Amino acid sequence: KDIFQTGQKLGLAWGYLAGAQDVMDSPQTKAREFFGEVDHPDAGKLPMIGAPFRPARTPWKQERAPRLGEHTGEVLSAWLGSADDDTEKQPREVKL
């Protein structure tokens, strides 16, 4: 890192291969608030990569990934045209 920073001060165009912890601890990523925190129901609070850029008119929304099967009832209800309760109680054959 010292050699990299010295090279930057000299105006050299070079870099180094940063590990995950290097990226998390980088003053650049901290200043840009690149990492956010997401609260996951199973894993607790976790750091997550934020927006790659910040558009002026559409704010970035940081959310966790869905759990396995979390939205199955919603999707099947919309697809089969029935209420959530119906999809859980009465499995149907679906023809494509």
Side-chain angles (χ1 to χ4, degrees):
K1 288 182 192 178
D2 293 336
I3 294 171
F4 166 70
Q5 290 171 350
T6 301
Q8 278 194 319
K9 289 175 187 172
L10 295 171
L12 300 175
W14 64 354
Y16 70 99
L17 183 59
Q21 195 61 49
D22 291 333
V23 175
M24 298 278 295
D25 294 338
S26 165
Q28 181 78 334
T29 58
K30 286 182 179 180
R32 293 176 182 248
E33 299 175 349
F34 187 66
F35 290 97
E37 194 171 75
V38 173
D39 193 14
H40 191 276
D42 297 324
K45 293 189 183 234
L46 300 169
M48 183 174 272
I49 294 174
F53 53 89
R54 297 181 190 235
R57 295 184 184 168
T58 53
W60 176 259
K61 187 176 180 183
Q62 186 100 13
E63 294 181 333
R64 67 172 177 82
R67 298 162 81 184
L68 185 62
E70 183 173 357
H71 299 110
T72 302
E74 285 176 56
V75 172
L76 289 176
S77 293
W79 194 34
L80 299 173
S82 61
D84 278 340
D85 293 340
D86 292 344
T87 58
E88 297 296 327
K89 295 176 186 170
Q90 301 171 358
R92 301 183 203 184
E93 182 180 333
V94 178
K95 294 181 182 179
L96 300 175

